[in-house]
């Protein structure tokens, strides 16, 4: 597994990335960084942990509201890339016990 250094809200993280997943990881990091920065820049929330939780909730809501491409009768299979990204983020954040 390749390792990539990424930055979210000015904090660097070293994340594992499967071969060929660099573009998807870069796009996900950019989306998380945009969401967290927008919450921070609004000025109402200062704690990084709260910013991270609000960003996660906003992104999860956006995913839940996105139109499904699969037929309604067929349940959508979880994306292996999304599962891998979530696992990597959990591992990166779990080492120090604090978000950012």
């Amino acid at each position: 597994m390749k390792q990539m250094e990424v930055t979210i809200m000015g904090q660097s993280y070293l994340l594992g990335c499967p071969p060929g997943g660099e573009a998807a990881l870069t796009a996900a990091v950019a989306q998380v960084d945009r969401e967290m920065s927008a919450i921070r820049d609004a000025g109402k929330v200062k704690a990084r942990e709260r910013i991270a939780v609000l960003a996660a909730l906003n992104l999860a809501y956006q995913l839940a509201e996105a139109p499904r491409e699969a037929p309604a009768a067929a349940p959508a299979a979880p994306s292996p890339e999304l599962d891998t990204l979530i696992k990597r983020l959990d591992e990166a954040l779990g080492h120090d016990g604090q978000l950012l």
Side-chain angles (χ1 to χ4, degrees):
M1 184 163 297
K2 178 181 179 179
Q3 296 217 330
M4 289 180 58
E5 185 173 354
V6 301
T7 303
I8 300 173
M9 244 180 60
Q11 179 71 38
S12 293
Y13 297 93
L14 190 60
L15 303 176
C17 182
E22 296 87 357
L25 179 58
T26 300
V29 166
Q31 187 175 12
V32 169
D33 184 54
R34 278 192 307 274
E35 191 69 33
M36 289 182 67
S37 295
I39 293 168
R40 177 200 60 207
D41 294 345
K44 296 185 185 230
V45 180
K46 299 293 183 200
R48 289 178 182 232
E49 182 176 322
R50 289 185 182 270
I51 290 171
V53 169
L54 290 172
L57 289 170
N58 287 344
L59 293 169
Y61 179 80
Q62 290 171 14
L63 282 173
E65 291 296 307
R68 305 265 181 199
E69 293 182 16
S79 163
E81 293 84 11
L82 182 58
D83 288 341
T84 301
L85 178 60
I86 290 170
K87 182 179 177 187
R88 282 182 283 161
L89 288 171
D90 285 342
E91 289 170 359
L93 294 173
H95 291 298
D96 63 8
Q98 294 182 352
L99 297 175
L100 305 176

